[in-house]
Amino acid sequence: MSANQKILVVDDEHDIVDLISYNLTKEGYQVYQAHNGKEGIEMAKQVNPDLIILDVMMPEMDGIEACRLMRSMPEFKHTFMVFLTARSEEYSEIAGFNVGADDYIAKPIKPRALMSRINAILRRNTAETEISSGDKLEIMDLVIDRDSFLVYRDTDRITLAKKEFELLYLLASKPNKVFTREQILKAIWEDSVVVTNRTIDVHIRKLREKIGENYVSTVKGVGYKFELN
């Protein structure tokens, strides 16, 4: 599987880039490098990678801004993006997920753990999800089209980030069912990704901002559900 998959590593620390690239190459991935956000965007346009590893703190353009810009480009709407950072502040993680990050990996790099995480993320491209109710959901005034990763409310088209779409699709697939945080984490992020309850909260907030406040309700102390009015 990895022989045809491309990974772009973007970090201003050359030693880190070399370490990650060496381990990815050993696994059979095609690896490309860049050393700041601007270079990363240009390289991504050239090679169209399956996954991009972005350092948060870089000169000229940081990883947060680079991710935000690429998520606004149609060709990178569903590209996996993973942040790499030595920073432990909670706001940095929230900022990353706000602009569409799929995962967060902390420095110092542990090659075996890194490869396990990357392999698991890329397997999601071919793995079947837990949702099996079809490729399109029509519920209330929403049409949720899984083939195009688009949502329509009446005649309005709504574009969601990949994880936001998967979260909406999961909740809407079983209206009025309360999904616990643990169920959501397992279905959307799987066991291989270290995320927190705040991650879900951030994605729910972004989802509500885009589709409206009346669809997803909070069940305090338990989780979330799609409210069928």
Side-chain angles (χ1 to χ4, degrees), residues 5 26 38 43 48 72 113 126 130 136 144-145 183 195:
Q5 291 181 303
K26 279 205 314 180
K38 289 183 178 179
M43 181 61 72
N48 191 26
S72 70
T126 54
E130 295 181 11
K136 185 181 290 187
I144 307 169
D145 189 341
Q183 289 172 327
V195 293

Side-chain angles (χ1 to χ4, degrees), residues 112-125:
R112 186 174 297 177
L114 172 71
M115 294 315 309
S116 176
R117 186 81 62 84
I118 296 302
N119 290 336
I121 291 170
L122 286 170
R123 277 198 300 270
R124 296 179 212 164
N125 265 343

Side-chain angles (χ1 to χ4, degrees), residues 5-225:
Q5 291 181 303
K6 295 177 285 188
I7 298 179
L8 172 61
V9 183
V10 188
D11 195 314
D12 61 318
E13 296 184 61
H14 289 252
D15 289 346
I16 295 292
V17 173
D18 290 342
L19 174 65
I20 295 174
S21 298
Y22 171 75
N23 283 278
L24 290 171
T25 301
K26 279 205 314 180
E27 289 286 317
Y29 293 110
Q30 299 178 48
V31 183
Y32 302 86
Q33 300 180 359
H35 297 98
N36 63 60
K38 289 183 178 179
E39 284 183 12
I41 292 173
E42 292 307 311
M43 181 61 72
K45 289 178 179 177
Q46 293 177 36
V47 303
N48 191 26
D50 298 282
L51 184 145
I52 302 173
I53 300 174
L54 285 162
D55 187 31
V56 170
M57 299 300 294
M58 292 185 290
E60 295 193 49
M61 181 186 292
D62 64 29
I64 300 290
E65 179 64 10
C67 180
R68 186 188 68 79
L69 288 172
M70 283 189 284
R71 283 296 190 219
S72 70
M73 303 175 188
E75 60 266 40
F76 302 122
K77 201 55 110 169
H78 307 304
T79 303
F80 290 109
M81 296 196 191
V82 177
F83 278 115
L84 182 70
T85 183
R87 299 177 65 180
S88 59
E89 293 93 335
E90 186 180 64
Y91 75 84
S92 180
E93 180 178 338
I94 294 172
F97 285 121
N98 267 336
V99 295
D102 292 288
D103 198 1
Y104 228 87
I105 299 174
K107 297 177 182 177
I109 301 300
K110 298 178 181 178
R112 186 174 297 177
L114 172 71
M115 294 315 309
S116 176
R117 186 81 62 84
I118 296 302
N119 290 336
I121 291 170
L122 286 170
R123 277 198 300 270
R124 296 179 212 164
N125 265 343
T126 54
E128 291 184 1
T129 70
E130 295 181 11
I131 305 168
S132 58
S133 56
D135 293 328
K136 185 181 290 187
L137 294 177
E138 298 184 27
I139 184 167
M140 296 172 61
D141 57 347
L142 296 180
V143 175
I144 307 169
D145 189 341
R146 194 169 176 188
D147 282 340
S148 64
F149 273 77
L150 289 173
V151 177
Y152 296 87
R153 184 178 56 218
D154 294 327
T155 58
D156 295 329
R157 171 173 157 171
I158 303 169
T159 301
L160 303 178
K162 187 172 186 290
K163 292 300 183 188
E164 295 166 1
F165 180 92
E166 291 176 352
L167 179 55
L168 176 61
Y169 199 98
L170 174 68
L171 297 176
S173 68
K174 295 183 179 179
N176 290 329
K177 170 182 169 59
V178 179
F179 286 85
T180 67
R181 292 174 179 275
E182 290 75 18
Q183 289 172 327
I184 294 171
L185 288 172
K186 184 176 180 181
I188 305 301
W189 283 273
E190 301 183 353
D191 295 332
S192 62
V193 181
V194 180
V195 293
T196 65
N197 285 337
R198 180 60 64 88
T199 302
I200 299 176
D201 296 339
V202 168
H203 282 75
I204 289 289
R205 177 172 58 79
K206 298 293 289 185
L207 188 57
R208 286 169 171 161
E209 288 175 0
K210 293 179 179 180
I211 68 170
E213 297 283 341
N214 299 324
Y215 300 95
V216 177
S217 62
T218 302
V219 181
K220 191 172 182 180
V222 181
Y224 296 95
K225 67 175 180 176

